Amino acid sequence: MKTHHPMAIAEQSEILADVVEHLAEELPGYTVCGMTWEPGRAAIVPGPGTSALAEPYQQALTDLASHAGPWSEVRETGQPVWIEDTRCDERWRPLLWASEQAGIRALLCVPVMAGNEWIGTLDVYSGEPGPLPEVVKQVVRWAARYAGAASAEASAEHGARTLQMLFDGLPVMLYAADQAGRFVFVNRAAERLTGYSREALAGLAVTQLPEPEDVPKLLEHLHATVRGQGEPVQIRIGHRDGLIIPVEWQAAPLTSEGRMVGLAGSVRQPSPPSPELERMRCALEIAGLAVLDWDIARDQMYWSPEHLRILGLSEADVPPSWEVLLGMTVEDDRAALRAAVQTCLTSGQAEVRYRIRHPDGSMRTLRSRGRTLFGGGGRAVRMISVTEDVTEQEQADQLLRRTERLAVVGQLAAGVAHELRNPLTTVKGFVHLLKVSPSEETRGRYLDIIQGELQRIEQTINEFLLLGSPSGQPLAPCQLTALVQDVVQLMKAEAALHKVEIRLEGEGAFVVRCDAPRLKQVFVHVLKNAIEAMPDGGTVEVRTHAVDGEAVVEVVDHGRGIDSARLKTLGEPSYDTREKGTGLGLMISRRILEAHGGQLEIHSEVDEGTTVRIHLPLADDGPGPEAEHSS
């Protein structure tokens, strides 16, 4: 066997350096380096962590070249050499003094062959004596084969590219498993495919990655593989972020010296959805949404980094679980959270808002929305939820509501003050006149005016008080058409003073449940506004009809109408359908209708007029002669 390759030692070192760097990443806990050889010359190719090798040991290796230690045997046989204990192996005696200083107790030397030419070794050191796992030996052999292939082509770039494809470049998960079916080695592509770190995958059973329904298919494939009949199988695996990914799983026996020591293979996506996955992750991060993924079948839970951030935890603090989340939840909200989880498991979706005690002592409000995935037989197999911290939003809403209430109070105060100030000014003036009035007749006229103004003040105060308690007597069946007729008859005199005619149109007797005096107050207010909206006279149309289980009363005037900007503020204090008014009447009318389960709509066009539409639910009693129609 030739003992060196025509390549320059510098080129060999460049190839081995790429191989060593990647191999060291795959074998944490070991020290990896390489050796290149030419007649009378040797060079160490250091890898990450080889600075731990003492300088005397490195110098001893260089001085010995390939004439001593395990390298002589590797050169002669072309086979790997494993020294289980450097203190007990005669082959290591020339280097024992130096290796003791470097803390080396065990060593694996694997030849790097370029065709049939030996160019060097890949060396793996351990600080503990004992046999190296067979799977680790196999991984080192793979790396040595790729390094040899690269050297045969005399291309350092090819060597780096080849090994990069093996470990990091391909979107293909490579793995090795022991005889118990547990992962002992995976490459970096496994992290990208599953979302789990290599440390988390180590020791995990291969049957824990597929979806529960696909585990039998994978087991059948693995058993067929052991019999030498395995074909790739199409299954689904669960990504840590909750996605379900279809993959092609392929396995092959892993042998050493003719004996099966485990399984090795690949897991690939037929149509990798990585762009979609990245877009989804990006969208979740931008939206500030946290992901909880509960694998119900295996009772394993995952919290995304954003979920941990919201809870104020780290992966090192506690393993994700419902117990941890419930323990952080405010006691008053735990029942709601438990109920939401149960609802999600049974109905497939749920939403809940709850509070937690943050580790910093603050109280945070969270909103979670969950979906459950069901397998065969309707069995729940996975629950995925997104959670957002709505504490600041809730605080902003509360502040806005307080601000709005203060604004309403201010507007009410301004409107009421305006309505009270005018009659009070009149009263004040006529009280002064009473002091100097010489005639009883004049004094009587002044007292009538004062009494009228005091009645205005009383009406304004009563309207203000009605805002807090719009409902009066219990609701009773009432013929709505008859009640509207009474109000129309009542308002005809005032309408005549404004040269307005009221026309009533309608058919049928519609029965609603109502507090008749309060409901009359609504119709009086609406008709009064319609009359005052036509200072030049005209016609007000009142129509009654029923549709979709509701009684509808429409009051239509043909006055000046209301512009769109002002229409939006109707029902707020200090705004009315008339040019003047506090807006209290419309507010009270809305409150009364809400207490009756009804609503009020206003439609208006400038110079066209205004239509007020009142909706009330029909009573189950139906029309009948005994229903109350007046009060």
Side-chain angles (χ1 to χ4, degrees):
M1 181 186 298
K2 296 181 181 180
T3 59
H4 71 281
H5 189 267
M7 286 177 64
I9 194 169
E11 293 177 280
Q12 296 172 8
S13 298
E14 187 176 354
I15 293 171
L16 279 183
D18 290 316
V19 175
V20 165
E21 179 181 353
H22 290 90
L23 184 59
E25 293 181 2
E26 306 302 325
L27 298 176
Y30 297 94
T31 301
V32 181
C33 68
M35 292 285 287
T36 58
W37 304 94
E38 284 189 352
R41 295 183 59 196
I44 296 178
V45 180
T50 52
S51 58
L53 297 178
E55 184 177 344
Y57 174 71
Q58 297 188 43
Q59 185 61 46
L61 286 180
T62 304
D63 293 343
L64 281 171
S66 61
H67 302 296
W71 298 280
S72 177
E73 184 176 338
V74 170
R75 183 188 59 183
E76 295 298 331
T77 64
Q79 297 297 321
V81 171
W82 171 248
I83 295 179
E84 294 189 2
D85 192 341
T86 55
R87 296 177 182 176
C88 303
D89 196 305
E90 288 295 327
R91 293 170 296 182
W92 195 254
R93 185 173 296 276
L95 287 168
L96 182 60
W97 64 276
S99 64
E100 288 292 310
Q101 296 184 51
I104 297 171
R105 290 297 304 277
L107 167 71
L108 172 66
C109 295
V110 179
V112 177
M113 307 294 294
N116 64 344
E117 297 173 342
W118 179 73
I119 63 170
T121 60
L122 283 178
D123 303 332
V124 179
Y125 297 95
S126 174
E128 298 292 335
L132 191 70
E134 289 294 335
V135 172
V136 174
K137 293 181 183 179
Q138 188 65 57
V139 171
V140 180
R141 291 191 188 102
W142 287 344
R145 291 193 192 107
Y146 279 103
S151 298
E153 295 190 14
S155 169
E157 291 77 13
H158 173 79
R161 184 171 64 253
T162 301
L163 200 65
Q164 182 73 20
M165 289 175 62
L166 171 66
F167 289 124
D168 291 336
L170 290 175
V172 177
M173 170 180 164
L174 300 179
Y175 72 91
D178 59 21
Q179 290 181 307
R182 297 186 177 278
F183 290 116
V184 293
F185 163 77
V186 292
N187 65 343
R188 289 200 179 277
E191 296 182 331
R192 296 190 292 270
L193 184 64
T194 68
Y196 295 94
S197 67
R198 289 188 295 174
E199 291 75 13
L201 290 170
L204 198 69
V206 295
T207 54
Q208 289 184 269
L209 276 186
E211 288 296 292
E213 295 84 355
D214 292 346
V215 170
K217 292 172 63 177
L218 177 60
L219 288 174
E220 183 180 350
H221 167 66
L222 296 180
H223 292 153
T225 297
V226 173
R227 298 192 300 268
Q229 303 170 347
E231 293 292 334
V233 63
Q234 306 295 325
I235 62 173
R236 298 164 302 155
I237 65 173
H239 191 278
R240 190 176 185 183
D241 283 342
L243 295 180
I244 297 176
I245 303 174
V247 298
E248 179 184 271
W249 192 298
Q250 185 168 18
L254 186 60
T255 61
S256 177
E257 299 177 357
R259 180 173 58 89
M260 181 174 171
V261 296
L263 294 170
S266 64
V267 183
R268 69 179 70 228
Q269 295 173 252
S271 302
S274 52
E276 289 78 5
L277 178 60
E278 290 304 318
R279 283 196 290 269
M280 178 181 178
R281 286 176 180 159
C282 215
L284 289 173
E285 290 178 6
I286 292 172
L289 298 177
V291 175
L292 178 151
D293 179 10
W294 180 25
D295 186 336
I296 302 169
R298 295 192 286 260
D299 194 22
Q300 294 179 348
M301 186 174 290
Y302 162 72
W303 290 340
S304 69
E306 180 66 15
H307 202 289
L308 291 167
R309 186 195 67 78
I310 287 176
L311 297 180
L313 302 175
S314 68
E315 286 187 279
D317 290 335
V318 288
S321 68
W322 288 118
E323 289 73 19
V324 173
L325 187 57
L326 284 168
M328 298 181 68
T329 303
V330 174
E331 186 173 357
D332 291 345
D333 294 351
R334 289 175 188 168
L337 180 57
R338 288 193 185 97
V341 172
Q342 190 60 39
T343 300
C344 195
L345 288 173
T346 53
S347 66
Q349 59 183 359
E351 181 172 336
V352 64
R353 186 182 290 248
Y354 56 100
R355 296 163 297 164
I356 64 166
R357 291 287 182 186
H358 197 274
D360 65 8
S362 64
M363 183 182 294
R364 314 294 294 178
T365 302
L366 309 183
R367 181 173 64 193
S368 297
R369 287 161 289 177
R371 294 289 298 273
T372 297
L373 306 179
F374 296 94
R379 181 170 55 92
V381 296
R382 193 179 221 100
M383 179 190 293
I384 300 172
S385 74
V386 292
T387 299
E388 56 182 324
D389 186 341
V390 295
T391 306
E392 294 180 359
Q393 175 187 334
E394 189 173 72
Q395 292 172 347
D397 289 345
Q398 292 174 352
L399 179 60
L400 180 60
R401 285 193 293 270
R402 286 196 295 268
T403 303
E404 288 176 343
R405 282 196 295 268
L406 289 173
V408 167
V409 170
Q411 290 175 346
L412 281 172
V416 172
H418 174 75
E419 288 297 302
L420 295 180
R421 182 175 54 194
N422 289 341
L424 284 175
T425 301
T426 302
V427 170
K428 181 180 178 181
F430 278 98
V431 167
H432 177 72
L433 291 174
L434 284 173
K435 294 179 180 180
V436 297
S437 176
S439 144
E440 286 295 327
E441 180 182 354
T442 304
R443 292 170 63 87
R445 190 168 68 252
Y446 289 171
L447 288 172
D448 290 341
I449 294 173
I450 291 173
Q451 184 178 5
E453 294 302 305
L454 289 175
Q455 288 175 346
R456 281 183 58 192
I457 292 173
E458 182 183 21
Q459 181 182 358
T460 300
I461 293 173
N462 287 338
E463 286 183 345
F464 189 76
L465 293 175
L466 277 173
L467 281 175
S469 179
S471 59
Q473 300 299 319
L475 304 185
C478 172
Q479 287 190 2
L480 183 63
T481 304
L483 187 146
V484 173
Q485 288 174 345
D486 289 347
V487 174
V488 169
Q489 190 65 34
L490 178 67
M491 296 298 296
K492 278 187 174 180
E494 183 171 350
L497 292 175
H498 291 78
K499 301 179 182 179
V500 173
E501 178 186 1
I502 302 177
R503 293 180 183 174
L504 178 61
E505 303 174 7
E507 55 185 21
F510 310 118
V511 176
V512 297
R513 300 187 66 81
C514 69
D515 177 353
R518 292 280 190 254
L519 203 55
K520 280 186 177 181
Q521 182 180 352
V522 173
F523 292 127
V524 167
H525 172 75
V526 173
L527 276 172
K528 185 176 177 63
N529 280 356
I531 293 169
E532 294 180 0
M534 296 189 294
D536 298 328
T539 302
V540 173
E541 300 167 13
V542 181
R543 310 180 187 125
T544 61
H545 61 277
V547 60
D548 296 332
E550 288 186 329
V552 180
V553 179
E554 292 181 345
V555 178
V556 182
D557 70 60
H558 302 281
R560 292 187 292 265
I562 309 167
D563 63 71
S564 57
R566 190 160 175 261
L567 192 63
K568 295 177 182 178
T569 61
L570 290 180
E572 296 180 5
S574 298
Y575 288 91
D576 204 294
T577 55
R578 302 161 295 172
E579 286 298 325
K580 298 179 181 180
T582 63
L584 287 175
L586 191 54
M587 289 181 66
I588 293 168
S589 296
R590 288 190 189 277
R591 291 290 301 275
I592 291 173
L593 289 173
E594 287 172 3
H596 284 72
Q599 60 179 337
L600 182 145
E601 299 176 356
I602 300 176
H603 305 275
S604 186
E605 294 287 341
V606 175
D607 297 328
E608 294 291 334
T610 302
T611 298
V612 177
R613 191 172 290 115
I614 296 169
H615 298 258
L616 289 165
L618 289 172
D620 296 333
D621 308 65
E626 297 181 359
E628 180 185 356
H629 71 274
S630 63
S631 176

